[in-house]
Amino acid sequence: MSKIKILIPAIGVAGVIAGSVAAYMYFKGGPSGDISGAAGSAKVVPDEAFVATYISTDPKVWAKLEQFGTPEAQKLVAKGLEDFNQNVLTDSNISYEKDLKPWVGGVMIAMLPPTSAKPAQLKLPSANPNLPAVTTQEPNVLMVVGIKDKINALNFANKLKGQKGVITKEIDYKGLKITETLGKGQPTYTAVLNNHLVFAPEKQTVEQAIDTFKGQPSFASKEGTNSILSKDVVENTVAQIYVPDYAGMVQQLINLNPQVQQQLPPQTLAQLKQLKSMVMGVGIDDAGVRMKAIANLDPELVKFQYQNSAGKVVSQLPADTIAMVSGQGISSWWSAFVEQSKDYPEFKQVLEQARSQVKLANIDLDKEIFGWMDGEFSAAAIPSNQGILAQVGFGGAFIFHTSDRKTAETTFTKLDTLAKTQQVNIAQRNIAGKNITEWQIPGQGSLITHGWLDQDTVFVALGGPIADAITTSNGKSLNDSENFKTVTGSLQKPNGGYFYLDMDKTASLINRFATQNQSLPLEASAIINSIHGVGMTTTSPDKSTTRMEMLLALKKKSK
C-alpha cells in the first residue's frame, strides 16, 4: 500500500483510475474516456513497446455493472471502495469526485524493453546450484492518461505540489518540461504532451515518449498495430490489450530472464511465430462481463485444421451437468501434434515412449486410441451421490462420435481384456435398452462403464451412476438447462465447441469439501454466489484468424 501512496502525487491519478475505476463506476458513474481514445494515446507511446493496454473511463459503459450483483457482492464492492479511499486518497487529501473526475480521460499502460541506462534488476537463484544467481530485468512501464480538461488538470497539479513531503523539480528536455516528483520512495517522472499526461518510474522512458510526440516512430505506427487499434473487439469495451507482434513480445519477455532463455528450445520460439498479432477486449453487457480475442495467424505455419462442432454432443449430457468441455476432431488434433513433434526431440521421445507402452497391450496408439475419434467429443463432470461417488458427489463422463465404430469396438475389447488381468471384474448390464460394460472393483462397485448411445456414439463413464445419468433420458438434456442457455446462449455460433461451468453447482461442491475451520471466506462466497457460470468458445472463419469469446455470466440485482 505504501507504494500506491507514493504513486498518487507522482502520477496524478493514473494508478487510482486503473485500480479503482470499476468499483467507483459501480456506484457513482465517472469520467468519459471511451475506447476510441486508444489510437490517440498510442501516438505518444514509443514503437519499442511490445504490448499496450487501454482502460476506458466512459461512464455509459461502466454503468452496465449496476444491473448485477447479489446484496453480499454489492456490500463487498462498497467496502473495497471505502477501504481504498481511506488508505490511499485520504492520506493524500485527494478526492476522486473533486480532484480527478473532472479531468481524467482513458488510460493506456505500455510495456517497453528495459533501458540500458538504468535497468531494474532482480537476482534469482539459478536452476543449477553450481552456477551464480541469475540477474533478471524488469520491463519499463509507461502510462498515458488522457486529459479532457486542462484547467482542472492544472488545478490538481498545483494541489499536488502543496502536499507535505512531496518535492518536485522541473527538467527541460527538448523544449518540454519533465516533472520529477520525489515522495517517500524513488522519484517518478511526468510530462504533459498536449492532451495527454505521460508517467514513468524512469526519466528516460518519459524522454522516449517526448521523442515520439515530436515525430519518432510510435506504437500506433508500428507494423500490425493500426489494424488492431481500429478493431472493435467487443461491445461496451472497458479495456483492450494490443499485441502487434506476439512472437516479438514473447522474445522480449524471455530476454528479461536469461535463465528462461537458456532453457527454452529454439523450436518453441519458432512455433510461436504461428501467432502474428492479437487484440483482446473486455466489455460489459446485459449478460455479464464478456471477453473477446482475435488472433491473426500465419496460415503457412498452422498445422491444425479447425473444424466447426455441430453441438449434438451437448444434447447427450444431463441437464444438471456441473462442467463440460466439448469440441470436434480429436484425431485431427493428434495428427497435428504428431506432425509438430518431428521438430521437437523432447516431444518425439515422449510420443515414442507412449506408443511403446500402449503397444505392450497390443494397442496401436495412433489408430486404435486416437484414430477413430474423428467426430464430436465432450468431457463432463456430472453430480451423483450414489455408490462409489457418494463421498465426492460427482463423476466424470466422456462422449465420442466416430465414423469408425469397428475400430472403436476393437479398442474397448482389448481394454476389457487388459482389465481382466488386473483382477477387475467385467460385467454386462442393460440400461434403458442399451447394453453397457462395467469394470467392477470387488467391494467398491462399478468404477468404469462404457457403451454405445447410438450407432456412432460411444461413452465412457467414471462411476456406475454416471452411466445411468447418460443413458437414461428424463426428457431434459444440458441443451435444455436454463443455466446453460444463460451462460452460452449469446456466444458466437458456429463454433468449435464449448467450455461451460455452472457456478452454483461448483460452489455446492466447494462447500461440501470445506470443513468448519476451513470454510470458504465470506468474500469469496459473495463473489461466487453472484455468478451464473462461465462459458467459452472459439471459432476460426479462415486459416489466418482465430476468435475466442468468454462470458462471465452475472446474476442480476434482485428487485
Side-chain angles (χ1 to χ4, degrees), residues 533-548:
V534 180
M536 183 169 67
T537 190
T538 60
T539 186
S540 183
D542 54 65
K543 202 172 181 181
S544 63
T545 307
T546 292
R547 299 175 182 268
M548 187 274 289

Side-chain angles (χ1 to χ4, degrees), residues 187-247:
T188 53
Y189 302 87
T190 58
V192 175
L193 306 179
N194 203 355
N195 293 321
H196 295 92
L197 169 74
V198 295
F199 158 81
E202 301 289 340
K203 179 164 70 74
Q204 187 171 344
T205 305
V206 175
E207 291 174 349
Q208 287 179 279
I210 292 175
D211 291 339
T212 304
F213 176 71
K214 285 182 170 290
Q216 291 296 313
S218 69
F219 187 74
S221 63
K222 191 171 186 175
E223 182 179 0
T225 303
N226 187 51
S227 60
I228 62 176
L229 275 173
S230 60
K231 286 183 178 177
D232 292 326
V233 181
V234 64
E235 293 183 3
N236 300 311
T237 307
V238 295
Q240 282 199 171
I241 300 174
Y242 308 95
V243 183
D245 179 4
Y246 185 82

Side-chain angles (χ1 to χ4, degrees), residues 82-100:
E82 182 181 349
D83 291 344
F84 182 87
N85 284 329
Q86 289 181 351
N87 293 329
V88 179
L89 299 183
T90 301
D91 287 358
S92 301
N93 193 29
I94 294 172
S95 164
Y96 182 88
E97 185 77 26
K98 296 179 180 179
D99 299 317
L100 309 181

Side-chain angles (χ1 to χ4, degrees), residues 159-460:
K159 181 174 182 178
L160 288 180
K161 290 179 181 179
Q163 294 283 316
K164 292 182 179 179
V166 175
I167 301 173
T168 60
K169 181 176 71 174
E170 291 187 344
I171 304 168
D172 181 75
Y173 180 77
K174 295 185 177 180
L176 292 174
K177 292 182 180 179
I178 297 176
T179 301
E180 179 187 78
T181 305
L182 182 62
K184 297 179 182 179
Q186 297 296 318
T188 53
Y189 302 87
T190 58
V192 175
L193 306 179
N194 203 355
N195 293 321
H196 295 92
L197 169 74
V198 295
F199 158 81
E202 301 289 340
K203 179 164 70 74
Q204 187 171 344
T205 305
V206 175
E207 291 174 349
Q208 287 179 279
I210 292 175
D211 291 339
T212 304
F213 176 71
K214 285 182 170 290
Q216 291 296 313
S218 69
F219 187 74
S221 63
K222 191 171 186 175
E223 182 179 0
T225 303
N226 187 51
S227 60
I228 62 176
L229 275 173
S230 60
K231 286 183 178 177
D232 292 326
V233 181
V234 64
E235 293 183 3
N236 300 311
T237 307
V238 295
Q240 282 199 171
I241 300 174
Y242 308 95
V243 183
D245 179 4
Y246 185 82
M249 178 194 72
V250 174
Q251 184 65 66
Q252 290 284 0
L253 294 174
I254 291 172
N255 291 342
L256 299 176
N257 191 331
Q259 186 172 346
V260 174
Q261 192 172 12
Q262 294 169 6
Q263 295 176 351
L264 202 65
Q267 296 93 333
T268 301
L269 290 176
Q271 188 177 12
L272 290 172
K273 292 182 180 179
Q274 292 183 26
L275 180 53
K276 296 169 66 176
S277 65
M278 182 184 71
V279 57
M280 181 174 68
V282 180
I284 305 167
D285 56 36
D286 291 338
V289 178
R290 192 179 304 271
M291 183 186 75
K292 289 186 178 183
I294 302 175
N296 296 315
L297 311 175
D298 186 334
E300 299 299 322
L301 298 178
V302 176
K303 305 287 186 182
F304 174 70
Q305 182 63 46
Y306 168 88
Q307 300 175 61
N308 280 327
S309 177
K312 180 183 176 182
V313 72
V314 178
S315 66
Q316 294 173 311
L317 291 168
D320 60 351
T321 296
I322 302 168
M324 182 270 298
V325 176
S326 67
Q328 176 82 25
I330 290 179
S331 59
S332 296
W333 293 11
W334 179 254
S335 297
F337 170 73
V338 171
E339 180 67 23
Q340 288 187 337
S341 69
K342 296 176 182 178
D343 300 324
Y344 298 84
E346 298 87 352
F347 287 173
K348 189 173 182 180
Q349 182 180 2
V350 172
L351 175 60
E352 292 301 330
Q353 289 176 347
R355 284 170 170 163
S356 299
Q357 291 295 319
V358 174
K359 194 67 176 177
L360 295 175
N362 193 30
I363 295 175
D364 186 311
L365 182 66
D366 299 274
K367 295 179 180 179
E368 296 180 305
I369 297 294
F370 295 108
W372 55 267
M373 298 179 181
D374 55 357
E376 281 191 81
F377 71 89
S378 71
I382 299 170
S384 176
N385 292 307
Q386 302 175 28
I388 198 172
L389 303 177
Q391 290 185 336
V392 294
F394 71 98
F398 301 89
I399 296 177
F400 305 97
H401 292 186
T402 179
S403 63
D404 187 1
R405 176 166 178 159
K406 183 178 179 180
T407 301
E409 287 180 331
T410 300
T411 301
F412 282 106
T413 298
K414 290 182 177 181
L415 290 173
D416 291 341
T417 301
L418 178 63
K420 289 179 182 177
T421 66
Q422 306 298 317
Q423 298 182 339
V424 174
N425 182 41
I426 305 299
Q428 302 298 318
R429 185 158 68 101
N430 187 283
I431 306 176
K434 299 178 179 66
N435 294 319
I436 66 167
T437 301
E438 290 186 327
W439 291 12
Q440 297 176 346
I441 307 297
Q444 297 185 40
S446 177
L447 179 65
I448 295 177
T449 304
H450 63 82
W452 291 85
L453 296 177
D454 56 41
Q455 179 62 29
D456 303 320
T457 307
V458 65
F459 76 90
V460 178

